[in-house]
Each structure stands twice: as C-alpha cells, then as structure tokens.
Amino acid sequence: MNMPADLRAVSHLARSLSPLSRPPRWKIFGELALIVVGILLLSTTIKLHWLTDFIIFFIIVLSFDLLYGYMGHLSFGHMLYYGAGAYGTGLFLVNAGKNPIAALFVGVAVAAILSAVLGLIVMRTHGASFALINMAFNEIGFFIIRSPLAKFTRGDDGLSCNAEKLFGIVDLNDDLSAFLFVGIVLLLVFAFLRVLTTSPFGILVRSIKENEKRVAFFGYDTFRSKWIVFVISSTLAALAGGIFTLVRGFLSPQVISPFGNVEVIFAVLIGGAGNLYGALIGGAIFMLIKNFLPVAIPELSKVVGVKLPQWEMWLGIILLIIVFAMRKGVVGVIRTQWHYRFRVARNAP
Amino acid sequence: MIQTIVYGFTIGAILYFFSVGLALTFGTMRIINFAHGMVYAVGVYLFIAFLKVFDDSFLLALAASVIVMLPVAYLIERFIIRRLYGEGLDYAIIATYGVLLIGTDAIKMLWGTTSQPVNDPVGISIEVADFGLPVYRIAIFICAVVLFLALRLFFKRSIIGKIVIAALEDSDGVRCLGLDVNKYFSIIFVLGSALAVLGGILYAPISSAEPYMGFHILLLAFAVVIVGGMGNLNGTFIAALALGMVMAITGRFWSQAANAMVFIVMALVLIVRSRRLTQD
C-alpha cells in the first residue's frame, strides 16, 4: 500500500503487460451491458431528448480521456476537433447531399486530416505549452468559423442542416431513434477504447504518461505514438460532433467555442482521469450539475428564502474538493475502497 | 492612425498590468493561475461599489479596493496556490479555475449580470489631426511605463526583488541559503494581484465592467506571457505592448479578427520556441 506512486503505476503496468492478466475479450460485453444499465437508470430521471445530449458529451469526454487520462497530455483545444467534425458534417449536408452516413464520414475525415496536420506541430510541445498552443488553435478555429467562413456557416446566426433518413429507415429527428443511434455509437466507442487501452499499444501510451524519456530510451518512437493517439482522440471527438449535427440539425459557433474544453476537463477529473468508467461517470455528474442546478437552485432558494449561489459556484467548490481531497475522482475513491474491502482485508492475516 | 496607435498602447498597458502577476507566478512556481482573473474582476466590482461610498472620488475608491483585495490575494496564495507547488500543471489549473468560477458567481449574485459602465475620471480629449485623443488613455500608457521602470528598479535593487529573481532561476538553491522562498513568493503573488486590480480599474472607464471580464483578459494574458517568455519581465512588457498594438491594428480593419490575431502570434511563437527546445 505504501509504494511510491510511480512505482505502483509501473507495477500495475507490468501486471497488465503479462498476457495472463490481460482482460478477456468477453469482459467488454459485460462492461457494455453495465453501461446500458446505467443509461437506462439515467433515462428514468431525464427526458430522452436530454439524454442524447448527455451521451454525445460522454463520447467527447471518453475521447479526451484517451489524450489526457491515458497519455497525460492536457489540452485546451479539444473542442476544435469536435467543432470541425460538426461543421464538416453540417456543411456537407447543406451543400453536397443529404446522406447522413456520407456527411458523417466527410466531417470526421476533415477533422482527422486537420488533427493529423496540427498534431505534427502540437505534439512537439509539452506541459503548459501543449495546453496553450491547443487553446490558440481552438481560438483561431472559432474565429474562422465565425468570421471568414461566415458566408458558408452563417456566423453567429447558426446553420440549420437536415439529413435524410438513416439507411432510408431511421429518422434521426425522432427522439427515440436518435437516442438509440447515439447510444450505439457510444457503445462502439467505448469498446474500441477498451480494446485500444488494454492492447500493447495502449500500455505503451500509458508508459509515455509515466516517463516518456524512458520509453524513448527503450527504442520506441514516442513522437509517432503520441501523434497517433492525438489523431485517434481528435477523430473520436469529431465523431461526437458529427452525430451532434445529425441528431440536432442545427449548428452554432458555440460547438467550437474554447470554453467547452474546460467542461470536458472537469468531467474527466470529477470521474477520475485515465479510466473509461471515470469519464462516463464524470460526464454524467457534470451534465447533471450543469443541467439541473440552474433549474433546481431558484426553486430551492424560494423554499429556503435565501438567494442561493448559482451552479457555477457549486462547480467551483466541487473542483476545489476534487483537487484537495479526491485526486482520483469519484471512480478512484470507489476503487480504493473496493480494493481495501475485498482485497487487502481478505488477504490480511 | 494616431488614434489606433494610442488605443494599441492603452490595451497593451492594461495587458501589461494584468500579465505581470501571471508571468511571475508562472515563472517562479510553474502554475497557470486562473484565480488572477477572479482577483481582477472582483477588484473592479469593489471599485464600483466604493465609488458610491466615496462620492465618485476615483483615487480613493481605487486605493480602497486595492487594499481590500490584498488580503484576499494572500488567502488564495496561502491556502490554494501554496499547496499546489510542484504538483502537476493540471491540478493547479483546476483549483484556480474553481476559484475563478466562485468569484464570477459571487459577482453575479451581488451585482447582477448586466455590465456596469464607469465614468472617465479625466474626461478631456486633445485634438490631434482631427481626432479626439482622450487624455485618460495616454495617462494609462504613462502609468504602465512608470510601473515597468519601477518594477525593474524593484527587481534590480531591492533585496526582495533580488531574491525573487534568484528563485526564478533556481528556487532550490535559494532555499539552501536558508531563505524562506515561500514567503517571498507570497509577497510577489500579492503584489501581482494588486497590479491586476489596478489595471482592471484603470481599464474599467474604457470597457465597462461585466462578470466574465476575468475570463476574457486571461486568455489574452496567457498569450502575452507566452510571447514574452515565461517569467521574463522585460519580455512581458514588450509582448504586452506589441500584442496590444496587434489587436488595435487588426481591430481597425477587421474587428472580429483582433483576438484571433493575438493567438496566431502566440501559436507562431510557441512553434518556433518548441523547435528550439526539442533540439537540445
């Protein structure tokens, strides 16, 4: 228990490297079933329309968790790729054709190419420079969408774009089918990320987070691995943006606004970084805070008779608690407790 | 054109006031401090409140709000920033961002979400080539130059300044001399926060106060800190004026591009600098 943190991480990595302890593939189906149960539980309290938004947000958070949680690169510019995917899809729908799959494909491809090019630049920086150079690109992208491309994107007025039915059958404007479509994409993304992060490549990525120099010393091309992860993560964010466009049929420059990054970072940290469940749970908690507190607080203030602080303040307090008391997020705390109850306590003499 | 230049210098001067504290915190402690924006915004709103108390006396209200913000800044340093020394970049960002959110919401609760205008305390313009040049803007620029010279003197001559400069280079070495580095860091932190409040108040008559003003200037100030070189005071001064000028000139031709232009410069600087860093 008292091992230093990095040694513990290394021993954890070593254990996952051994082929015997690699999680069996069938386990993924169990996890996916768990997610379905969780979303069904959420659906009892939230309208289906909102739940679709939640799930799209979960996909962004999952993609960001790959970059930040697994590789340790904090970016302030993830929304650039989300927005690029959304606008790529939307502009295709408006100008080229109504086929949703083709539009989604084009949007994601545009964002993937963009991230591949920018990744060559940003992946050469570290730490604060990495965070801020991404923010700079995001800010530039936000500007490009709003102003020079305003002829196509209609600037701040927003762009409405309707797709035809998916495969000719599924109407994405219908709440239930949109929800099912988005849910299936979430499950696919989760399964993909689970396979990726437990694969040897995923373990290499986690080793880069622990000590990049040492990994490079072993002869791995760390720049290439980092670039690949950046492109994958950005492409998944773009996928979330594309399905957002398909489901909502309306785009405003808000989707590419750099302020969105902060929300994604918070969601990852609330749940626990470097952990796919953490991304999901953190995303759910964050969205609940963001969507329910603004409604709940005024009503609560009427009951109490005192004007209560708005949701931003509560979020601020939660962030301070996370940093000073729960570094590993909700999932980290649960995991430590679990580990203590069922592993350490049982093995104690 | 003269007007644009003066406007550029004004924005640059305000950016300098704000970025000094940010650059020092970043240079000494490697912390990206979002709480700086909170101190700035709350300071300006306090100033507006004090204006009513002191019958619109600009200087009295200014002094009062700076004095009130000093202990606030100290508490932030003592209980939040100091616990994050040597931690990862991310936790510092999250914690200080939390402080910024709390401050923004406090402003919204106490003063509402509408923006509050502040009167120009001088209110005189001089006519130069058919343009009215507000004296107040020129006064702001002069203040920034005076501040720059004063800070230079402070870091060159005074003991505290010298220790901080030494700690910027090698804080462990300074610790080995038996000096309590944290004490000096908190002095610098409080000083930087006071300058941010000062800058905010000087800027308020031009831009008017709104709850999210801290967020907006923070992003620009990061660009200043990056372009100027982290923790480099001369660089920060030059970068602030240069970026202010970039904003004013782009703003004149294409107002929406002003912010993006600043970030383009920042991205270019980061790219050039990171290439140099990866070589060694």
Side-chain angles (χ1 to χ4, degrees):
Chain A
M1 276 309 266
N2 292 325
M3 253 191 285
D6 57 339
L7 198 64
R8 203 156 52 211
V10 167
S11 78
H12 176 74
L13 285 174
R15 245 183 292 128
S16 46
L17 263 173
S18 124
L20 285 176
S21 66
R22 190 96 49 80
R25 289 282 182 260
W26 57 263
K27 226 179 142 186
I28 293 173
F29 292 103
E31 289 181 320
L32 294 182
L34 212 63
I35 293 173
V36 172
V37 170
I39 287 174
L40 289 179
L41 278 179
L42 265 179
S43 71
T44 55
T45 50
I46 309 169
K47 281 186 210 134
L48 216 50
H49 185 70
W50 279 11
L51 203 55
T52 310
D53 284 351
F54 272 46
I55 294 174
I56 292 173
F57 186 68
F58 292 167
I59 299 174
I60 313 171
V61 178
L62 278 175
S63 75
F64 186 73
D65 196 32
L66 177 67
L67 185 67
Y68 170 63
Y70 282 91
M71 203 170 62
H73 280 57
L74 181 68
S75 159
F76 273 146
H78 210 58
M79 290 322 244
L80 175 62
Y81 306 105
Y82 174 70
Y87 267 100
T89 309
L91 289 175
F92 183 88
L93 283 177
V94 170
N95 299 315
K98 294 277 179 199
N99 187 343
I101 295 293
L104 189 62
F105 184 77
V106 168
V108 171
V110 166
I113 293 168
L114 181 69
S115 73
V117 174
L118 292 184
L120 292 175
I121 301 169
V122 297
M123 272 302 155
R124 293 186 193 278
T125 57
H126 303 268
S129 307
F130 180 78
L132 294 175
I133 198 169
N134 276 301
M135 186 185 79
F137 282 130
N138 196 339
E139 195 74 50
I140 294 166
F142 184 49
F143 159 72
I144 289 176
I145 290 294
R146 283 177 67 192
S147 199
L149 288 184
K151 213 192 283 173
F152 306 105
T153 63
R154 302 231 197 101
D156 288 332
D157 296 337
L159 184 73
S160 56
C161 38
N162 284 313
E164 64 188 19
K165 288 179 180 173
L166 192 65
F167 308 121
I169 324 164
V170 186
D171 182 11
L172 288 175
N173 291 323
D174 175 48
D175 273 357
L176 182 64
S177 43
F179 164 71
L180 289 176
F181 170 62
V182 170
I184 289 167
V185 176
L186 173 73
L187 294 181
L188 290 176
V189 168
F190 186 91
F192 170 70
L193 284 176
R194 180 54 89 211
V195 172
L196 183 77
T197 51
T198 50
S199 71
F201 179 72
I203 292 158
L204 178 69
V205 169
R206 278 188 270 169
S207 320
I208 288 176
K209 180 185 181 182
E210 298 304 330
N211 193 333
E212 191 184 331
K213 268 192 192 138
R214 209 168 285 176
V215 176
F217 185 71
F218 284 145
Y220 291 103
D221 185 352
T222 53
F223 174 76
R224 202 188 61 185
S225 314
K226 279 159 51 180
W227 180 79
I228 292 172
V229 169
F230 184 74
V231 174
I232 292 175
S233 164
S234 308
T235 310
L236 290 178
L239 179 68
I243 62 174
F244 173 82
T245 309
L246 292 183
V247 167
R248 283 287 162 266
F250 180 77
L251 280 176
S252 74
Q254 222 49 48
V255 296
I256 200 169
S257 157
F259 282 110
N261 293 308
V262 185
E263 303 186 344
V264 178
I265 298 172
F266 291 169
V268 167
L269 278 161
I270 290 172
N275 179 321
L276 296 178
Y277 295 128
L280 292 176
I281 292 178
I285 293 176
F286 180 83
M287 286 301 266
L288 288 173
I289 293 174
K290 193 186 166 187
N291 286 311
F292 274 113
L293 282 189
V295 186
I297 286 171
E299 287 175 10
L300 201 65
S301 327
K302 268 183 218 152
V303 175
V304 184
V306 187
K307 200 179 168 192
L308 289 170
Q310 282 300 311
W311 71 279
E312 280 175 336
M313 186 175 279
W314 296 114
L315 184 63
I317 292 168
I318 289 172
L319 293 178
L320 288 178
I321 292 172
I322 285 171
V323 170
F324 291 116
M326 294 173 40
R327 278 289 165 89
K328 291 194 168 162
V330 176
V331 172
V333 169
I334 295 171
R335 216 176 233 187
T336 318
Q337 289 295 325
W338 182 277
H339 183 78
Y340 181 76
R341 289 269 162 78
F342 293 99
R343 299 281 167 77
V344 179
R346 199 168 54 192
N347 295 341
Chain B
M1 200 59 212
I2 295 171
Q3 207 179 18
T4 313
I5 292 174
V6 173
Y7 278 30
F9 273 132
T10 326
I11 300 170
I14 298 301
L15 279 178
Y16 178 61
F17 270 100
F18 187 82
S19 314
V20 168
L22 212 59
L24 285 170
T25 344
F26 199 71
T28 47
M29 306 164 231
R30 295 282 147 201
I31 280 178
I32 293 186
N33 177 23
F34 277 91
H36 210 57
M38 176 271 208
V39 172
Y40 169 86
V42 172
V44 172
Y45 271 89
L46 273 180
F47 166 76
I48 292 171
F50 277 126
L51 269 184
K52 282 174 196 141
V53 178
F54 292 121
D55 299 333
D56 287 346
S57 162
F58 192 86
L59 290 177
L60 268 180
L62 191 152
S65 53
V66 170
I67 288 169
V68 172
M69 286 318 281
L70 291 179
V72 175
Y74 177 72
L75 290 177
I76 292 174
E77 201 277 341
R78 180 70 191 75
F79 290 104
I80 292 171
I81 309 278
R82 191 175 291 185
R83 293 186 180 192
L84 297 167
Y85 291 162
E87 301 269 359
L89 182 76
D90 32 7
Y91 290 117
I93 290 175
I94 305 306
T96 53
Y97 202 94
V99 175
L100 176 60
L101 282 175
I102 292 173
T104 308
D105 200 56
I107 288 175
K108 283 207 262 179
M109 263 177 80
L110 294 172
W111 286 285
T113 47
T114 50
S115 67
Q116 308 226 358
V118 177
N119 288 331
D120 185 335
V122 186
I124 312 166
S125 307
I126 32 173
E127 291 283 324
V128 181
D130 291 341
F131 284 120
L133 274 186
V135 174
Y136 183 67
R137 284 182 182 259
I138 300 169
I140 290 179
F141 176 62
I142 293 171
C143 283
V145 175
V146 170
L147 172 70
F148 172 66
L149 295 174
L151 278 180
R152 256 187 86 94
L153 212 63
F154 174 73
F155 283 110
K156 272 235 163 89
R157 294 288 155 81
S158 77
I159 290 291
I160 298 176
K162 282 179 186 170
I163 292 171
V164 170
I165 290 291
L168 269 171
E169 296 287 326
D170 179 5
S171 62
D172 285 337
V174 176
R175 251 183 220 114
C176 289
L177 296 174
L179 293 164
D180 184 0
V181 179
N182 284 352
K183 195 175 80 186
Y184 295 100
F185 281 170
S186 51
I187 292 172
I188 287 299
F189 187 89
V190 173
L191 176 76
S193 303
L195 290 177
V197 174
L198 198 62
I201 292 169
L202 289 179
Y203 195 40
I206 299 171
S207 71
S208 83
E210 45 107 12
Y212 288 98
M213 59 195 294
F215 287 90
H216 298 312
I217 196 163
L218 261 169
L219 297 184
L220 294 174
F222 282 138
V224 170
V225 173
I226 294 288
V227 173
M230 302 160 190
N232 179 346
L233 285 172
N234 299 344
T236 306
F237 184 64
I238 295 166
L241 292 187
L243 288 182
M245 204 54 95
V246 166
M247 279 183 79
I249 292 172
T250 6
R252 190 182 147 91
F253 299 110
W254 192 2
S255 60
Q256 281 164 307
N259 272 13
M261 205 61 201
V262 170
F263 290 103
I264 290 172
V265 174
M266 170 178 152
L268 288 176
V269 168
L270 271 174
I271 290 164
V272 171
R273 193 168 288 157
S274 71
R275 185 162 301 150
R276 203 189 305 145
L277 283 178
T278 43
Q279 272 170 4
D280 54 41

